[in-house]
Structure formats: C-alpha cells, structure tokens
Amino acid sequence: MDGLLLDTERLTLDAFLDCAPEFDLDPGEMRAFFMTLIGSARTQGEAMVRDFIGLDRDFDALDLAWQHHSQRRLAAGIPVKPTVAETISALHASGAVMAVVTSTFGDKARHHLDRAGLLRCFRTVIGGDEVPANKPDPAPYVQAAEQLGVPPQNCAAFEDSDTGITAAARAGCFAVQIPDLRPSARAFPDVGQRFATTLTEAVTTAQAHFHHERRRQGRSL
C-alpha cells in the first residue's frame, strides 16, 4: 500500500525529518536510516528506531512528534501514486478480484484507502497486525490468495519494497516490483520478479504473462 498505491512513504519521511530540530538529529543520517525502515513491520521498525536514536533520546516523545507531523501533513489528503486511481478503478470495473497486503496495521490501512477513494475496489485488506508472520515471510500473500479464492500462482502481486516483493515471490505469485524509496546502491533481491515504473505498466506486464501462460497451457493439452 504505502509506496505502491499511496505516496505516503515520502510523507512519512518528511514527517520524520520534521522531528530533527526538536531531538537534535541529523537530517542526512535520518534520511539514510529511513530507507532501511521501508517494508518493515511495526515491531521491527520500532526496535530499529530505538537503536538509531540511542538511549539518550526519548523514543515515546519522538514517536508522538512523528505521529503529530504525519497527521498534520495528511490533513491535506491522502496522496495517491501516479496511474494508481485509474488503473485500480479499471481493474475493479472489469471484475478483477483484488486485495491489499500491507505491513501497516489493518484499521489504519483501511482508513487511508477509504480517504483515498480506493477501498471500495478491494475485496479484502490484510494489515501487518492481521497475519501470522510479516513480510518477507510469504504468509500475508498466501492469506490474501486464500481470501480471494485464487491459488497464489494465479495471482499477480505488485510491490515497491524488497521485503514485500520477496514475500510475494515466495508465496508463488507473479511478482512485479515498482521501486519507490530505497537506497540507490542497494542490490535488488533476486526472486525472479519483473520490474515496472508505474502500476499501469506493471498490470500490463502481468496481463501479458498470464495471457502467454494460457496459450502455452492450451498448446500442451
């Protein structure tokens, strides 16, 4: 969801940087650290932030300030990534069954998707607090496929983060990565994923793949 459907990764980064003066943190170091947080589950992320700021800073105070700045920035509306609204609407209108698989907690995810006008298009939303294991474990995508009533190998999964694309590929989905915020020097995980620059391009790639598979299977019968 964040960084793939909603342009909230940048907003969350900016809100984090807003905390720099109050907590005497270096913005450059904060930006580099934030890149390591992307795709992590909440519990893991909290531990990473605690380690980053050190014992001499109040984590609870930082967390509260970060939430405050996030809410202030979100007051203007939930930003949606380019091509997402029209692509999701078209898929929904065509009868595609879709799920959101996110590390964000479920209630928060559904709230943000609703405000962005996208929630109605999805049959289910599975949050990071609603799965037995978080990404990069395949469990969230396996659970989503079960709820959609479709085998994972017949699902296309679109992800921006390395942990997310790893989870999708391990589940057996046809996985397309649309990178958003990530360290430029970091190598991508080698999990057999395809790459795209927009959701529209990713969907076209997936449709071509499944069309080819149907033709191949038809010839083999």
Side-chain angles (χ1 to χ4, degrees):
M1 183 185 73
D2 300 292
L4 189 285
L5 299 177
L6 308 181
D7 199 11
T8 40
E9 293 286 16
R10 284 176 177 78
L11 185 149
T12 304
L13 168 59
D14 290 340
F16 186 44
L17 296 176
D18 288 338
C19 301
E22 181 180 351
F23 295 89
D24 192 27
L25 292 165
D26 179 79
E29 293 178 358
M30 293 173 73
R31 184 181 297 273
F33 166 72
F34 183 85
M35 298 299 177
T36 69
L37 285 176
I38 294 172
S40 63
R42 179 169 177 173
T43 301
Q44 178 190 10
E46 178 178 318
M48 292 168 66
V49 173
R50 288 182 183 274
D51 184 62
F52 172 71
I53 66 174
L55 296 176
D56 57 331
R57 294 185 179 90
D58 186 339
F59 169 81
D60 291 332
L62 173 64
D63 187 50
L64 190 63
W66 194 353
Q67 291 182 46
H68 167 74
H69 289 301
S70 294
Q71 291 303 316
R72 176 177 58 81
R73 289 178 174 275
L74 285 169
I78 304 292
V80 178
K81 297 283 289 184
T83 80
V84 164
E86 55 268 38
T87 303
I88 294 298
S89 293
L91 286 170
H92 178 62
S94 73
V97 290
M98 297 181 286
V100 171
V101 181
T102 178
S103 295
T104 299
F105 278 15
D107 286 346
K108 181 179 179 181
R110 286 182 281 273
H111 175 264
H112 283 186
L113 288 166
D114 191 30
R115 283 191 62 196
L118 299 174
L119 183 61
R120 63 179 180 81
C121 296
F122 295 99
R123 181 171 294 184
T124 187
V125 176
I126 299 174
D129 58 330
E130 299 168 340
V131 292
N134 292 113
K135 306 171 186 179
D137 192 284
Y141 275 100
V142 172
Q143 182 173 324
E146 289 176 351
Q147 292 190 19
L148 293 179
V150 182
Q153 62 268 25
N154 290 348
C155 295
F158 310 111
E159 276 278 359
D160 64 296
S161 72
D162 293 353
T163 53
I165 204 68
T166 301
R170 286 178 178 173
C173 303
F174 178 77
V176 185
Q177 188 166 5
I178 310 169
D180 186 39
L181 295 180
R182 66 189 310 280
S184 58
R186 179 192 293 170
F188 287 98
D190 183 10
V191 293
Q193 77 271 43
R194 305 286 183 88
F195 290 90
T197 57
T198 66
L199 185 61
T200 298
E201 181 186 341
V203 169
T204 299
T205 298
Q207 289 171 332
H209 164 76
F210 285 112
H211 177 69
H212 173 76
E213 285 299 298
R214 284 193 296 270
R215 292 185 61 188
R216 184 182 64 82
Q217 291 172 13
R219 288 195 300 269
S220 68
L221 293 178

Coordinates of all heavy atoms in Angstrom, one line a residue, residues 132-208:
P132 N -0.1 -14.2 10.5 CA 0.7 -14.9 11.4 C 2.2 -14.6 11.4 O 3.0 -14.8 12.3 CB 0.5 -16.4 11.0 CG 0.1 -16.3 9.6 CD -0.7 -15.0 9.5
A133 N 2.7 -14.0 10.3 CA 4.1 -13.6 10.1 C 4.1 -12.5 9.1 O 3.2 -12.4 8.2 CB 4.9 -14.8 9.6
N134 N 5.0 -11.6 9.2 CA 5.1 -10.4 8.3 C 6.1 -10.6 7.2 O 6.9 -11.5 7.2 CB 5.6 -9.2 9.2 CG 4.5 -8.7 10.1 OD1 4.7 -8.8 11.4 ND2 3.4 -8.2 9.7
K135 N 6.0 -9.8 6.2 CA 6.9 -9.8 5.0 C 8.3 -9.7 5.6 O 8.5 -8.9 6.6 CB 6.6 -8.6 4.1 CG 5.2 -8.6 3.6 CD 5.0 -7.2 2.8 CE 3.5 -7.0 2.4 NZ 3.3 -5.7 1.7
P136 N 9.3 -10.4 5.0 CA 9.3 -11.1 3.8 C 8.8 -12.5 3.8 O 8.9 -13.3 2.8 CB 10.8 -11.1 3.4 CG 11.5 -11.2 4.7 CD 10.7 -10.3 5.6
D137 N 8.2 -12.9 4.9 CA 7.5 -14.2 5.0 C 6.4 -14.2 4.0 O 5.7 -13.2 3.8 CB 7.0 -14.5 6.4 CG 6.6 -15.9 6.6 OD1 5.5 -16.3 6.1 OD2 7.3 -16.7 7.3
P138 N 6.1 -15.3 3.3 CA 5.1 -15.4 2.3 C 3.7 -15.4 2.9 O 2.7 -15.3 2.2 CB 5.4 -16.7 1.5 CG 6.1 -17.5 2.5 CD 6.9 -16.6 3.3
A139 N 3.5 -15.6 4.2 CA 2.2 -15.8 4.9 C 1.2 -14.7 4.5 O 0.0 -15.1 4.2 CB 2.4 -15.8 6.4
P140 N 1.5 -13.4 4.4 CA 0.5 -12.4 4.1 C -0.1 -12.6 2.7 O -1.3 -12.5 2.5 CB 1.2 -11.1 4.2 CG 2.3 -11.4 5.1 CD 2.8 -12.8 4.8
Y141 N 0.7 -13.0 1.7 CA 0.2 -13.2 0.4 C -0.5 -14.5 0.2 O -1.5 -14.6 -0.5 CB 1.4 -13.1 -0.6 CG 1.6 -11.7 -1.0 CD1 2.7 -11.0 -0.5 CD2 0.8 -11.1 -1.9 CE1 2.9 -9.6 -0.8 CE2 1.0 -9.7 -2.3 CZ 2.0 -9.0 -1.7 OH 2.2 -7.7 -2.1
V142 N -0.1 -15.5 1.0 CA -0.8 -16.8 1.0 C -2.2 -16.6 1.6 O -3.2 -17.1 1.0 CB -0.1 -17.9 1.8 CG1 -0.9 -19.1 2.0 CG2 1.3 -18.2 1.1
Q143 N -2.3 -15.8 2.6 CA -3.6 -15.5 3.3 C -4.5 -14.7 2.3 O -5.7 -15.0 2.2 CB -3.3 -14.7 4.6 CG -4.6 -14.4 5.3 CD -4.2 -13.7 6.7 OE1 -3.3 -14.1 7.3 NE2 -5.0 -12.8 7.1
A144 N -3.9 -13.7 1.6 CA -4.7 -12.9 0.7 C -5.3 -13.8 -0.4 O -6.4 -13.7 -0.8 CB -3.8 -11.8 0.1
A145 N -4.4 -14.7 -1.0 CA -4.9 -15.6 -2.0 C -6.1 -16.4 -1.6 O -7.1 -16.7 -2.3 CB -3.8 -16.4 -2.6
E146 N -5.9 -17.0 -0.3 CA -7.0 -17.8 0.2 C -8.3 -17.0 0.3 O -9.4 -17.5 0.0 CB -6.6 -18.3 1.6 CG -5.5 -19.4 1.6 CD -5.0 -19.8 2.9 OE1 -5.4 -19.1 3.9 OE2 -4.2 -20.8 3.0
Q147 N -8.2 -15.7 0.8 CA -9.4 -14.9 1.0 C -10.0 -14.6 -0.4 O -11.2 -14.3 -0.5 CB -9.1 -13.7 1.8 CG -8.8 -14.0 3.2 CD -8.7 -12.8 4.1 OE1 -9.2 -11.7 3.8 NE2 -8.0 -12.9 5.3
L148 N -9.2 -14.5 -1.4 CA -9.7 -14.2 -2.7 C -10.2 -15.4 -3.4 O -10.9 -15.3 -4.5 CB -8.7 -13.5 -3.6 CG -8.2 -12.1 -3.2 CD1 -7.1 -11.6 -4.2 CD2 -9.3 -11.1 -3.2
G149 N -9.9 -16.6 -2.9 CA -10.3 -17.9 -3.5 C -9.5 -18.2 -4.8 O -10.0 -18.8 -5.7
V150 N -8.3 -17.7 -4.9 CA -7.4 -17.9 -6.0 C -6.1 -18.5 -5.6 O -5.5 -18.0 -4.7 CB -7.2 -16.6 -6.8 CG1 -6.4 -16.8 -8.0 CG2 -8.5 -15.9 -7.1
P151 N -5.6 -19.5 -6.3 CA -4.2 -20.0 -5.9 C -3.2 -18.9 -6.1 O -3.3 -18.1 -7.0 CB -4.0 -21.2 -6.9 CG -5.4 -21.6 -7.4 CD -6.2 -20.3 -7.4
P152 N -2.2 -18.9 -5.2 CA -1.2 -17.8 -5.4 C -0.5 -17.8 -6.7 O -0.2 -16.7 -7.3 CB -0.1 -18.2 -4.3 CG -0.9 -18.9 -3.3 CD -2.0 -19.7 -4.0
Q153 N -0.3 -18.9 -7.4 CA 0.3 -18.9 -8.7 C -0.6 -18.3 -9.8 O -0.1 -18.0 -10.9 CB 0.7 -20.3 -9.1 CG -0.4 -21.3 -9.3 CD -0.7 -22.1 -8.0 OE1 -0.4 -21.6 -6.9 NE2 -1.2 -23.3 -8.1
N154 N -1.8 -18.1 -9.5 CA -2.7 -17.4 -10.4 C -2.9 -16.0 -10.0 O -3.8 -15.3 -10.6 CB -4.1 -18.1 -10.5 CG -4.0 -19.5 -11.2 OD1 -3.0 -19.8 -11.8 ND2 -5.0 -20.3 -11.0
C155 N -2.1 -15.5 -9.1 CA -2.2 -14.1 -8.6 C -1.1 -13.3 -9.1 O 0.1 -13.8 -9.2 CB -2.3 -14.0 -7.1 SG -3.7 -14.8 -6.3
A156 N -1.3 -12.0 -9.5 CA -0.3 -11.1 -9.7 C -0.1 -10.2 -8.5 O -1.1 -9.8 -7.9 CB -0.6 -10.2 -10.9
A157 N 1.1 -10.0 -8.1 CA 1.4 -9.2 -6.9 C 2.3 -8.0 -7.3 O 3.3 -8.2 -8.0 CB 2.1 -10.0 -5.8
F158 N 2.0 -6.8 -6.8 CA 2.7 -5.6 -7.1 C 3.3 -5.0 -5.8 O 2.5 -4.8 -4.9 CB 1.8 -4.6 -7.9 CG 1.1 -5.2 -9.0 CD1 -0.3 -5.4 -9.0 CD2 1.8 -5.6 -10.2 CE1 -1.0 -5.9 -10.1 CE2 1.1 -6.2 -11.2 CZ -0.3 -6.4 -11.2
E159 N 4.5 -4.8 -5.8 CA 5.2 -4.3 -4.6 C 6.3 -3.3 -4.9 O 6.9 -3.3 -6.0 CB 5.9 -5.5 -3.9 CG 5.0 -6.3 -2.9 CD 4.8 -5.6 -1.6 OE1 5.4 -4.6 -1.3 OE2 4.1 -6.2 -0.7
D160 N 6.5 -2.4 -3.9 CA 7.6 -1.4 -4.1 C 8.8 -1.9 -3.3 O 10.0 -1.7 -3.7 CB 7.2 0.0 -3.6 CG 6.8 0.0 -2.2 OD1 5.9 -0.6 -1.8 OD2 7.5 0.8 -1.4
S161 N 8.6 -2.5 -2.1 CA 9.7 -2.8 -1.2 C 10.4 -4.1 -1.5 O 9.7 -5.0 -2.1 CB 9.2 -2.7 0.2 OG 8.4 -3.9 0.5
D162 N 11.6 -4.3 -1.1 CA 12.3 -5.5 -1.3 C 11.7 -6.6 -0.4 O 11.6 -7.8 -0.8 CB 13.8 -5.3 -0.9 CG 14.5 -4.4 -1.8 OD1 14.0 -4.0 -2.9 OD2 15.7 -4.1 -1.5
T163 N 11.3 -6.3 0.8 CA 10.7 -7.3 1.7 C 9.4 -7.7 1.1 O 9.0 -8.9 1.2 CB 10.5 -6.8 3.1 OG1 9.8 -5.5 3.1 CG2 11.8 -6.5 3.8
G164 N 8.6 -6.8 0.6 CA 7.3 -7.1 0.0 C 7.4 -8.0 -1.2 O 6.7 -9.0 -1.4
I165 N 8.3 -7.7 -2.1 CA 8.4 -8.5 -3.4 C 9.0 -9.9 -3.1 O 8.6 -10.8 -3.7 CB 9.3 -7.7 -4.4 CG1 9.0 -8.2 -5.8 CG2 10.8 -7.9 -4.1 CD1 7.6 -7.8 -6.3
T166 N 9.8 -10.0 -2.0 CA 10.3 -11.3 -1.6 C 9.1 -12.1 -1.1 O 9.0 -13.3 -1.4 CB 11.4 -11.1 -0.5 OG1 12.5 -10.4 -1.1 CG2 11.9 -12.5 -0.1
A167 N 8.3 -11.5 -0.3 CA 7.1 -12.2 0.3 C 6.2 -12.7 -0.9 O 5.7 -13.9 -0.9 CB 6.3 -11.3 1.2
A168 N 5.9 -11.9 -1.8 CA 5.0 -12.2 -2.9 C 5.6 -13.3 -3.8 O 4.9 -14.3 -4.1 CB 4.8 -11.0 -3.8
A169 N 6.9 -13.3 -4.1 CA 7.5 -14.3 -4.9 C 7.6 -15.6 -4.2 O 7.3 -16.7 -4.8 CB 8.9 -13.9 -5.3
R170 N 7.9 -15.6 -2.9 CA 7.9 -16.8 -2.1 C 6.6 -17.5 -2.0 O 6.5 -18.7 -1.9 CB 8.5 -16.5 -0.7 CG 10.0 -16.2 -0.6 CD 10.4 -15.9 0.8 NE 11.8 -15.7 0.9 CZ 12.5 -15.2 2.0 NH1 11.8 -15.0 3.1 NH2 13.8 -15.1 2.0
A171 N 5.5 -16.7 -2.0 CA 4.2 -17.2 -2.0 C 3.8 -17.9 -3.3 O 2.8 -18.7 -3.3 CB 3.2 -16.1 -1.6
G172 N 4.5 -17.6 -4.4 CA 4.2 -18.2 -5.7 C 3.5 -17.3 -6.6 O 3.1 -17.7 -7.7
C173 N 3.3 -16.0 -6.2 CA 2.7 -15.1 -7.1 C 3.6 -14.6 -8.3 O 4.8 -14.7 -8.1 CB 2.3 -13.8 -6.3 SG 1.2 -14.1 -4.9
F174 N 3.0 -14.2 -9.3 CA 3.7 -13.5 -10.4 C 4.0 -12.1 -9.8 O 3.1 -11.3 -9.7 CB 2.9 -13.4 -11.7 CG 3.7 -12.7 -12.8 CD1 4.7 -13.3 -13.5 CD2 3.3 -11.4 -13.1 CE1 5.4 -12.6 -14.5 CE2 4.0 -10.7 -14.1 CZ 5.0 -11.3 -14.8
A175 N 5.2 -11.8 -9.6 CA 5.6 -10.6 -8.8 C 6.3 -9.5 -9.7 O 7.2 -9.8 -10.4 CB 6.5 -11.0 -7.7
V176 N 5.7 -8.3 -9.6 CA 6.3 -7.2 -10.3 C 6.7 -6.1 -9.3 O 5.8 -5.7 -8.5 CB 5.3 -6.6 -11.3 CG1 6.0 -5.5 -12.1 CG2 4.8 -7.7 -12.2
Q177 N 7.9 -5.6 -9.3 CA 8.4 -4.6 -8.4 C 8.4 -3.3 -9.0 O 8.9 -3.1 -10.2 CB 9.8 -5.0 -7.8 CG 10.2 -4.0 -6.7 CD 11.5 -4.6 -6.0 OE1 12.0 -5.6 -6.4 NE2 11.9 -3.9 -4.9
I178 N 7.8 -2.3 -8.3 CA 7.8 -0.9 -8.8 C 8.5 -0.1 -7.7 O 7.9 0.4 -6.7 CB 6.3 -0.4 -8.9 CG1 5.5 -1.4 -9.8 CG2 6.3 1.0 -9.6 CD1 4.0 -1.1 -9.7
P179 N 9.8 0.0 -7.8 CA 10.6 0.7 -6.8 C 10.2 2.1 -6.5 O 9.8 2.9 -7.4 CB 12.0 0.6 -7.3 CG 12.0 -0.4 -8.4 CD 10.6 -0.4 -9.0
D180 N 10.2 2.4 -5.2 CA 9.8 3.8 -4.7 C 11.0 4.3 -4.0 O 12.1 4.6 -4.6 CB 8.6 3.7 -3.9 CG 8.1 5.1 -3.5 OD1 8.1 6.0 -4.4 OD2 7.6 5.3 -2.4
L181 N 11.0 4.5 -2.7 CA 12.1 5.0 -1.9 C 13.0 3.8 -1.5 O 12.5 2.8 -0.9 CB 11.6 5.7 -0.7 CG 10.9 7.0 -0.9 CD1 10.5 7.6 0.4 CD2 11.7 8.0 -1.7
R182 N 14.2 3.8 -1.9 CA 15.2 2.7 -1.5 C 16.6 3.3 -1.8 O 16.8 4.1 -2.7 CB 14.9 1.4 -2.2 CG 15.2 1.5 -3.7 CD 14.7 0.2 -4.4 NE 15.2 -1.0 -3.9 CZ 16.4 -1.5 -4.0 NH1 17.3 -0.9 -4.8 NH2 16.7 -2.7 -3.5
P183 N 17.6 2.8 -1.0 CA 19.0 3.2 -1.3 C 19.4 2.9 -2.8 O 19.2 1.7 -3.2 CB 19.8 2.4 -0.3 CG 18.8 2.1 0.8 CD 17.5 1.9 0.1
S184 N 19.9 3.8 -3.5 CA 20.2 3.6 -4.9 C 21.3 2.6 -5.1 O 21.3 1.9 -6.1 CB 20.7 5.0 -5.5 OG 21.8 5.5 -4.8
A185 N 22.2 2.4 -4.1 CA 23.3 1.4 -4.3 C 22.9 0.0 -3.8 O 23.7 -0.9 -4.1 CB 24.5 1.9 -3.5
R186 N 21.7 -0.2 -3.2 CA 21.4 -1.5 -2.8 C 20.9 -2.4 -3.9 O 20.1 -2.0 -4.7 CB 20.2 -1.4 -1.7 CG 19.7 -2.7 -1.2 CD 18.5 -2.6 -0.4 NE 18.6 -1.9 0.8 CZ 17.6 -1.5 1.6 NH1 16.4 -1.7 1.2 NH2 17.9 -0.8 2.7
A187 N 21.4 -3.6 -4.0 CA 21.0 -4.5 -5.0 C 19.6 -5.0 -4.7 O 19.2 -5.2 -3.6 CB 22.0 -5.7 -5.0
F188 N 18.9 -5.2 -5.8 CA 17.5 -5.8 -5.6 C 17.6 -7.3 -5.3 O 18.5 -8.0 -5.7 CB 16.7 -5.6 -6.9 CG 16.3 -4.2 -7.2 CD1 17.0 -3.4 -8.1 CD2 15.2 -3.7 -6.6 CE1 16.6 -2.1 -8.3 CE2 14.7 -2.4 -6.9 CZ 15.5 -1.6 -7.7
P189 N 16.7 -7.8 -4.5 CA 16.6 -9.2 -4.2 C 16.4 -10.0 -5.5 O 15.6 -9.5 -6.4 CB 15.5 -9.4 -3.3 CG 14.6 -8.2 -3.5 CD 15.5 -7.1 -3.9
D190 N 17.0 -11.1 -5.7 CA 16.9 -11.9 -6.9 C 15.8 -13.0 -6.6 O 16.2 -14.1 -6.2 CB 18.2 -12.5 -7.3 CG 18.2 -13.3 -8.6 OD1 17.2 -13.2 -9.3 OD2 19.2 -14.0 -8.9
V191 N 14.6 -12.6 -6.8 CA 13.5 -13.6 -6.6 C 12.6 -13.8 -7.8 O 11.5 -14.3 -7.7 CB 12.6 -13.1 -5.4 CG1 13.4 -13.1 -4.1 CG2 12.0 -11.7 -5.7
G192 N 13.2 -13.5 -9.0 CA 12.5 -13.8 -10.2 C 11.4 -12.8 -10.6 O 10.6 -13.0 -11.4
Q193 N 11.5 -11.6 -9.9 CA 10.5 -10.6 -10.2 C 10.7 -9.8 -11.5 O 11.8 -9.8 -12.0 CB 10.4 -9.6 -9.0 CG 11.5 -8.5 -9.0 CD 12.7 -9.0 -8.2 OE1 13.1 -10.1 -8.3 NE2 13.3 -8.1 -7.4
R194 N 9.6 -9.3 -12.0 CA 9.8 -8.3 -13.1 C 9.8 -6.9 -12.5 O 9.5 -6.7 -11.3 CB 8.6 -8.4 -14.1 CG 8.3 -9.8 -14.6 CD 9.3 -10.2 -15.7 NE 9.0 -11.6 -16.2 CZ 8.2 -11.8 -17.2 NH1 7.6 -10.8 -17.8 NH2 8.0 -13.0 -17.6
F195 N 10.1 -5.9 -13.3 CA 10.2 -4.5 -12.9 C 9.3 -3.6 -13.7 O 9.1 -3.9 -14.9 CB 11.6 -4.0 -12.9 CG 12.5 -4.7 -11.8 CD1 13.2 -5.8 -12.1 CD2 12.6 -4.1 -10.6 CE1 14.0 -6.4 -11.2 CE2 13.4 -4.8 -9.6 CZ 14.1 -5.9 -9.9
A196 N 8.8 -2.6 -13.1 CA 8.0 -1.6 -13.8 C 8.2 -0.2 -13.2 O 8.7 -0.2 -12.0 CB 6.5 -2.0 -13.9
T197 N 7.8 0.8 -13.9 CA 7.9 2.2 -13.3 C 6.6 2.7 -12.8 O 6.6 3.7 -12.0 CB 8.5 3.1 -14.3 OG1 7.6 3.1 -15.5 CG2 9.9 2.7 -14.7
T198 N 5.5 2.2 -13.3 CA 4.1 2.6 -12.8 C 3.3 1.4 -12.6 O 3.5 0.3 -13.2 CB 3.4 3.5 -13.8 OG1 3.2 2.8 -15.0 CG2 4.3 4.7 -14.1
L199 N 2.2 1.5 -11.9 CA 1.2 0.4 -11.7 C 0.6 0.0 -13.0 O 0.4 -1.2 -13.3 CB 0.1 0.8 -10.7 CG -0.8 -0.3 -10.3 CD1 -0.1 -1.5 -9.7 CD2 -1.9 0.2 -9.4
T200 N 0.3 1.0 -13.9 CA -0.3 0.6 -15.2 C 0.7 -0.3 -16.0 O 0.2 -1.3 -16.6 CB -0.5 1.9 -16.0 OG1 -1.5 2.7 -15.3 CG2 -1.0 1.6 -17.4
E201 N 2.0 0.0 -16.0 CA 2.9 -0.8 -16.7 C 3.0 -2.2 -16.1 O 3.1 -3.2 -16.8 CB 4.3 -0.1 -16.7 CG 5.4 -0.8 -17.4 CD 6.8 -0.2 -17.2 OE1 6.8 1.0 -16.8 OE2 7.8 -0.9 -17.4
A202 N 3.0 -2.2 -14.7 CA 3.1 -3.5 -14.0 C 1.9 -4.4 -14.4 O 2.0 -5.6 -14.6 CB 3.1 -3.2 -12.5
V203 N 0.7 -3.8 -14.4 CA -0.5 -4.6 -14.7 C -0.4 -5.1 -16.2 O -0.8 -6.3 -16.4 CB -1.8 -3.7 -14.5 CG1 -3.0 -4.4 -15.1 CG2 -2.0 -3.5 -13.0
T204 N 0.0 -4.3 -17.1 CA 0.2 -4.7 -18.5 C 1.2 -5.9 -18.6 O 0.9 -6.9 -19.3 CB 0.7 -3.6 -19.3 OG1 -0.3 -2.5 -19.3 CG2 0.9 -4.0 -20.8
T205 N 2.3 -5.8 -17.8 CA 3.2 -6.9 -17.7 C 2.6 -8.2 -17.2 O 2.8 -9.3 -17.8 CB 4.4 -6.5 -16.9 OG1 5.1 -5.4 -17.4 CG2 5.4 -7.7 -16.7
A206 N 1.8 -8.1 -16.2 CA 1.2 -9.3 -15.6 C 0.1 -9.9 -16.6 O 0.0 -11.1 -16.7 CB 0.5 -8.9 -14.3
Q207 N -0.6 -9.0 -17.2 CA -1.7 -9.5 -18.1 C -1.0 -10.2 -19.3 O -1.5 -11.3 -19.7 CB -2.5 -8.3 -18.6 CG -3.4 -7.7 -17.6 CD -4.1 -6.4 -18.0 OE1 -3.6 -5.7 -18.8 NE2 -5.3 -6.2 -17.5
A208 N 0.1 -9.7 -19.8 CA 0.8 -10.4 -20.9 C 1.3 -11.7 -20.4 O 1.3 -12.7 -21.2 CB 2.0 -9.5 -21.4

